[in-house]
Coordinates of all heavy atoms in Angstrom, one line a residue:
A1 N 3.3 6.5 7.2 CA 3.0 5.9 5.9 C 1.5 5.7 6.0 O 0.9 5.0 6.8 CB 3.6 4.5 5.8
Y2 N 0.7 6.5 5.2 CA -0.7 6.5 5.2 C -1.4 5.3 4.7 O -1.1 4.9 3.5 CB -1.2 7.8 4.6 CG -0.9 9.0 5.4 CD1 0.2 9.7 5.1 CD2 -1.7 9.3 6.5 CE1 0.5 10.9 5.8 CE2 -1.4 10.5 7.3 CZ -0.3 11.2 6.9 OH 0.0 12.3 7.7
S3 N -2.4 4.8 5.4 CA -3.2 3.6 4.8 C -4.6 4.2 4.5 O -5.4 4.3 5.3 CB -3.3 2.6 5.9 OG -2.1 2.0 6.2
V4 N -4.7 4.7 3.2 CA -5.9 5.3 2.7 C -6.0 5.0 1.2 O -5.1 4.4 0.6 CB -5.9 6.8 2.9 CG1 -6.0 7.2 4.4 CG2 -4.7 7.5 2.3
N5 N -7.2 5.4 0.6 CA -7.4 5.2 -0.9 C -7.2 3.9 -1.3 O -6.6 3.7 -2.4 CB -6.5 6.2 -1.6 CG -7.0 7.7 -1.4 OD1 -8.2 8.0 -1.4 ND2 -6.0 8.6 -1.2
G6 N -7.6 2.8 -0.6 CA -7.4 1.4 -1.1 C -6.1 0.8 -0.8 O -5.9 -0.4 -1.2
F7 N -5.2 1.4 -0.1 CA -3.9 0.9 0.2 C -3.7 0.8 1.7 O -4.1 1.7 2.4 CB -2.8 1.8 -0.5 CG -2.6 1.5 -1.9 CD1 -3.5 2.1 -2.8 CD2 -1.7 0.6 -2.4 CE1 -3.4 1.8 -4.1 CE2 -1.6 0.3 -3.7 CZ -2.4 0.9 -4.6
T8 N -3.0 -0.3 2.1 CA -2.7 -0.4 3.5 C -1.1 -0.4 3.5 O -0.4 -1.2 2.9 CB -3.2 -1.9 4.0 OG1 -4.6 -1.8 3.9 CG2 -2.8 -2.1 5.5
C9 N -0.6 0.4 4.4 CA 0.8 0.6 4.5 C 1.3 0.4 6.0 O 0.5 0.6 6.9 CB 1.2 2.1 4.1 SG 0.8 2.4 2.4
G10 N 2.5 0.0 6.1 CA 3.1 -0.2 7.4 C 4.5 0.3 7.3 O 5.1 0.3 6.3
K11 N 5.0 0.6 8.5 CA 6.3 1.1 8.6 C 7.1 0.5 9.8 O 6.5 0.4 10.9 CB 6.4 2.7 8.8 CG 7.8 3.3 8.8 CD 7.7 4.8 8.7 CE 9.0 5.3 8.7 NZ 9.1 6.8 8.8
K12 N 8.3 0.0 9.6 CA 9.0 -0.6 10.7 C 10.4 0.0 10.6 O 11.1 -0.3 9.5 CB 9.1 -2.1 10.7 CG 9.8 -2.7 11.8 CD 9.7 -4.2 11.8 CE 10.4 -4.8 13.0 NZ 10.3 -6.3 13.1
E13 N 10.9 0.8 11.5 CA 12.1 1.5 11.4 C 12.0 2.4 10.1 O 11.2 3.2 9.9 CB 13.3 0.6 11.5 CG 13.4 -0.1 12.9 CD 14.6 -1.0 12.9 OE1 15.5 -0.9 12.0 OE2 14.6 -1.8 13.9
N14 N 12.9 2.2 9.2 CA 12.9 3.0 8.0 C 12.3 2.3 6.8 O 12.3 2.9 5.7 CB 14.4 3.3 7.6 CG 15.1 4.2 8.6 OD1 14.4 4.9 9.3 ND2 16.5 4.1 8.6
T15 N 11.8 1.1 7.0 CA 11.2 0.4 5.9 C 9.7 0.5 5.9 O 9.0 0.3 6.8 CB 11.5 -1.2 6.0 OG1 12.9 -1.3 6.1 CG2 10.9 -2.0 4.9
V16 N 9.2 0.9 4.7 CA 7.8 1.1 4.4 C 7.3 0.0 3.4 O 8.0 -0.2 2.4 CB 7.5 2.5 3.9 CG1 6.0 2.7 3.5 CG2 7.9 3.5 4.9
S17 N 6.1 -0.5 3.7 CA 5.6 -1.5 2.7 C 4.1 -1.1 2.5 O 3.4 -0.7 3.5 CB 5.7 -2.9 3.0 OG 4.9 -3.1 4.3
C18 N 3.6 -1.1 1.3 CA 2.2 -0.9 1.0 C 1.7 -1.8 0.0 O 2.4 -2.4 -0.8 CB 2.1 0.5 0.3 SG 2.4 2.0 1.4
R19 N 0.4 -2.2 0.2 CA -0.3 -3.1 -0.7 C -1.7 -2.7 -0.8 O -2.4 -2.2 0.2 CB -0.3 -4.4 0.0 CG -0.7 -5.6 -0.8 CD -0.4 -6.9 -0.1 NE -0.9 -8.1 -0.8 CZ -0.3 -8.6 -1.9 NH1 0.9 -8.2 -2.2 NH2 -0.7 -9.7 -2.5
G20 N -2.2 -2.7 -2.1 CA -3.7 -2.3 -2.3 C -4.0 -2.5 -3.7 O -3.3 -3.1 -4.5
Q21 N -5.3 -1.9 -4.0 CA -5.9 -2.0 -5.3 C -6.1 -0.6 -5.8 O -6.5 0.3 -5.1 CB -7.2 -2.7 -5.3 CG -7.0 -4.2 -5.2 CD -8.4 -4.9 -5.4 OE1 -9.3 -4.8 -4.6 NE2 -8.5 -5.5 -6.5
F22 N -5.8 -0.5 -7.2 CA -6.2 0.8 -7.8 C -7.6 0.7 -8.3 O -8.1 -0.5 -8.6 CB -5.2 1.0 -9.0 CG -3.8 1.3 -8.7 CD1 -2.8 0.4 -9.0 CD2 -3.5 2.5 -8.0 CE1 -1.6 0.7 -8.6 CE2 -2.2 2.7 -7.7 CZ -1.2 1.8 -8.0
P23 N -8.4 1.8 -8.4 CA -9.8 1.7 -8.7 C -10.0 1.2 -10.1 O -9.4 1.6 -11.1 CB -10.3 3.2 -8.6 CG -9.0 3.9 -8.6 CD -7.9 3.2 -8.1
G24 N -10.9 0.2 -10.2 CA -11.2 -0.4 -11.6 C -10.1 -1.3 -12.1 O -10.3 -1.6 -13.3
V25 N -9.1 -1.6 -11.4 CA -8.0 -2.5 -11.9 C -8.1 -3.8 -11.0 O -8.1 -3.8 -9.8 CB -6.7 -1.9 -11.7 CG1 -5.6 -2.7 -12.2 CG2 -6.7 -0.5 -12.5
K26 N -8.1 -4.9 -11.7 CA -8.1 -6.2 -11.1 C -6.6 -6.5 -10.5 O -5.7 -6.1 -11.1 CB -8.4 -7.3 -12.0 CG -9.9 -7.3 -12.3 CD -10.2 -8.4 -13.3 CE -11.7 -8.4 -13.6 NZ -12.0 -9.5 -14.5
G27 N -6.5 -7.1 -9.3 CA -5.3 -7.5 -8.8 C -4.9 -6.6 -7.6 O -5.4 -5.5 -7.5
T28 N -3.8 -7.0 -6.9 CA -3.3 -6.3 -5.8 C -1.9 -5.9 -6.2 O -1.1 -6.6 -6.8 CB -3.3 -7.2 -4.6 OG1 -4.7 -7.6 -4.2 CG2 -2.8 -6.4 -3.4
F29 N -1.5 -4.7 -5.8 CA -0.2 -4.1 -6.1 C 0.5 -3.7 -4.8 O -0.2 -3.3 -3.8 CB -0.4 -2.8 -7.0 CG -1.1 -3.2 -8.3 CD1 -2.4 -3.2 -8.4 CD2 -0.3 -3.5 -9.4 CE1 -3.1 -3.5 -9.5 CE2 -1.0 -3.8 -10.6 CZ -2.3 -3.8 -10.7
G30 N 1.8 -3.8 -4.8 CA 2.5 -3.4 -3.6 C 3.9 -3.0 -3.8 O 4.5 -3.1 -5.0
A31 N 4.5 -2.4 -2.9 CA 5.9 -2.0 -3.0 C 6.5 -2.0 -1.5 O 5.8 -1.8 -0.5 CB 6.0 -0.7 -3.6

């Protein structure tokens, strides 16, 4: 799970989580 382009991602077993910002957009987004 790549942590690039303003997003930080982590993987534990089969679960992936990412959190970050899109360019020019206020706020943080995740999944």
Side-chain angles (χ1 to χ4, degrees):
Y2 290 97
S3 294
V4 293
N5 291 319
F7 282 81
T8 302
C9 298
K11 184 173 181 182
K12 185 173 183 179
E13 296 179 13
N14 294 335
T15 303
V16 173
S17 63
C18 290
R19 188 170 177 85
Q21 284 189 290
F22 291 113
V25 177
K26 291 182 181 180
T28 303
F29 300 84

